[in-house]
Amino acid sequence: MKTMIFQIDQLVRPNVAALKPYSSARDEFEDFDADMVFIDANENPNETDVNRYPDPQQRKVKEVLAKQQDTDVKNILLGNGSDEVLDLLYRAFCEPASDNVITLPPTYGMYKVLAAINNVENREVLLSPDFQPRVKDILGAADERTKLLFLCSPNNPTGNSFSEDLVAELLEQFAGLVVIDEAYIDFSGRESWLKRLSDYPNLVITQTLSKAYGMAGIRLGICYASEEIIAVLNKIKPPYNVNELTQQRAWKRLLESGKVGVEIGEIKEQKTRLYTELQQVDYVAEVYPSDANFILARVDDAGKRYDQLISQGIVARNRTTQPLCENCLRFTVGTAEENEKLIRVLRELK
Ligand SMILES: *Cc1c(COP(=O)(O)O)cnc(C)c1O
């Protein structure tokens, strides 16, 4: 399978490998349900529902996820949004001012911002004109200091999934960690790469409750990876990075997976309708197929159409400054009424 021997110890920053993590009161004594007197964390003992520190390992949420995804709690790390997970990956593996990462524009903007925040060089290798990774160019851009490769699939803002063969080639030949951002996987007909975790020791998958699960406001990001990689990230995460209210709401929502499935089905139906309608607007030059809950469309003049939409009370996302996205607008699939309004307004624009 993998052509090179992958060794996690050689990727971790030396200071992270050496550090002894902070041990919180709740780390040292974990048994929450026991009938004990808790005077170990300087909390106010009066009940407010949230007077206690939250579980630093979010076990209840992880147990549901592990069961639903057929994986193990040891392969899961949760963060304050997947943005925190991505930041932890930089901080664990990329030595500032010396290591580098590879990103594939046009893609999610946070990879680049996090590289800048962490003072890590970002090597950009454009996607091909059909928005697929160029494997040869990516491997050519990598050197012994390249720690992370970010693959966003389905990709934001283009909406397409990456070819499984190309992703597999990268997993086999790239010597650092391959981070597959699956923020939109629940809208896609494809399987998550999670099923392949045991095949690829350098595979890291991120998911989120922000999109399909309708919980952007609680901030819950998920990372799946080998036990070794998760252990490294656990060492450096803030002890109470996922708050109590978030853990409670996430747990409840995960148990409503039937309801979530119905909503996803509706959004996908609406997407198909929006796709057909967009193709019929005369100044829309191209509508790109989407495995996500948004559609990228090329118009005659993105700036002009964006402003016109705003004046009609509709906020789309103008992606025209992104490479390969000249004059492109990104439309999130809304409710049936919202989509109807969008179509009506788009048709009436002069
Ligand atoms: C929206 C989005 C996320 C979500 O980030 P959270 O911090 O979990 O809300 C992650 N990756 C991509 C590509 C996204 O579009």
Side-chain angles (χ1 to χ4, degrees):
M1 183 124 292
K2 202 158 162 57
T3 47
M4 62 197 67
I5 311 266
F6 177 79
Q7 281 195 309
I8 182 82
D9 324 354
Q10 291 175 3
L11 285 181
V12 182
R13 290 170 64 195
N15 64 311
V16 172
L19 84 81
K20 191 174 174 303
Y22 174 74
S23 177
S24 70
R26 287 293 172 276
D27 280 319
E28 285 172 11
F29 189 84
E30 300 183 340
D31 203 350
F32 271 90
D33 300 324
D35 187 19
M36 304 285 265
V37 174
F38 284 103
I39 48 172
D40 58 343
N42 301 344
E43 297 148 335
N44 182 329
N46 298 289
E47 192 59 55
T48 63
D49 250 8
V50 286
N51 57 314
R52 298 295 176 187
Y53 279 100
D55 175 5
Q57 281 302 319
Q58 310 98 17
R59 278 166 299 176
K60 277 181 76 177
V61 180
K62 284 184 189 171
E63 275 161 20
V64 178
L65 282 171
K67 200 166 166 207
Q68 291 182 346
Q69 304 288 338
D70 192 21
T71 183
D72 195 283
V73 165
K74 293 197 185 75
N75 295 107
I76 306 175
L77 176 117
L78 300 180
N80 183 17
S82 30
D83 288 347
E84 183 186 39
V85 172
L86 297 170
D87 187 50
L88 288 174
L89 286 163
Y90 273 97
R91 287 165 51 198
F93 295 100
C94 301
E95 199 59 38
S98 96
D99 287 341
N100 65 79
V101 301
I102 296 178
T103 63
L104 315 180
T107 194
Y108 186 47
M110 276 308 283
Y111 314 138
K112 184 180 190 167
V113 171
L114 289 169
I117 291 170
N118 288 288
N119 194 18
V120 170
E121 182 195 350
N122 174 28
R123 298 186 174 175
E124 301 191 307
V125 181
L126 277 198
L127 293 174
S128 65
D130 59 347
F131 302 141
Q132 291 293 328
R134 301 181 202 248
V135 173
K136 244 181 92 181
D137 296 346
I138 293 167
L139 296 174
D143 59 23
E144 72 286 350
R145 304 236 59 95
T146 309
K147 299 300 180 72
L148 307 172
L149 164 63
F150 291 95
L151 306 180
C152 186
S153 180
N155 187 40
N156 177 5
T158 60
N160 65 297
S161 302
F162 292 165
S163 140
E164 278 168 33
D165 292 344
L166 297 179
V167 173
E169 265 182 68
L170 288 166
L171 280 163
E172 278 157 33
Q173 293 179 53
F174 177 69
L177 298 183
V178 177
V179 182
I180 306 185
D181 184 339
E182 293 188 336
Y184 300 97
I185 191 68
D186 301 291
F187 299 108
S188 143
R190 310 231 188 165
E191 275 204 341
S192 164
W193 281 88
L194 184 50
K195 298 261 179 312
R196 309 297 300 278
L197 211 52
S198 52
D199 296 336
Y200 300 108
N202 59 340
L203 171 57
V204 176
I205 296 155
T206 62
Q207 294 182 2
T208 177
L209 295 199
S210 296
K211 306 290 158 61
Y213 279 79
M215 302 245 109
I218 69 169
R219 315 300 303 127
L220 191 87
I222 308 162
C223 177
Y224 299 103
S226 72
E227 211 179 310
E228 291 76 19
I229 293 173
I230 295 296
V232 171
L233 298 176
N234 253 324
K235 248 177 125 173
I236 66 164
K237 84 170 184 65
Y240 303 114
N241 63 327
V242 179
N243 73 71
E244 178 63 28
L245 299 174
T246 294
Q247 293 188 41
Q248 288 177 14
R249 289 295 293 269
W251 182 77
K252 264 176 76 179
R253 183 68 166 160
L254 286 168
L255 295 180
E256 307 177 331
S257 56
K259 202 160 141 193
V260 176
V262 170
E263 290 178 15
I264 292 170
E266 284 166 2
I267 290 169
K268 283 163 83 171
E269 237 171 73
Q270 285 295 317
K271 178 176 65 178
T272 308
R273 211 180 117 226
L274 194 55
Y275 185 86
T276 312
E277 297 277 5
L278 281 170
Q279 283 178 315
Q280 285 157 28
V281 176
D282 58 12
Y283 53 82
V284 172
E286 189 159 10
V287 188
Y288 295 96
S290 168
D291 280 339
N293 65 333
F294 56 81
I295 296 177
L296 189 74
R298 191 181 302 276
V299 297
D300 55 347
D301 181 342
K304 172 180 153 187
R305 300 304 176 189
Y306 176 83
D307 291 340
Q308 288 178 321
L309 285 170
I310 294 272
S311 69
Q312 298 294 317
I314 296 175
V315 188
R317 188 91 156 117
N318 187 353
R319 297 283 75 189
T320 192
T321 56
Q322 297 284 302
L324 304 175
C325 294
E326 201 187 336
N327 280 320
C328 285
L329 296 177
R330 191 191 70 197
F331 302 101
T332 306
V333 179
T335 63
E337 298 76 53
E338 288 170 336
N339 302 332
E340 257 157 48
K341 174 170 179 182
L342 171 64
I343 292 301
R344 180 167 44 75
V345 169
L346 283 173
R347 278 194 184 144
E348 284 167 2
L349 294 184
K350 295 279 180 306

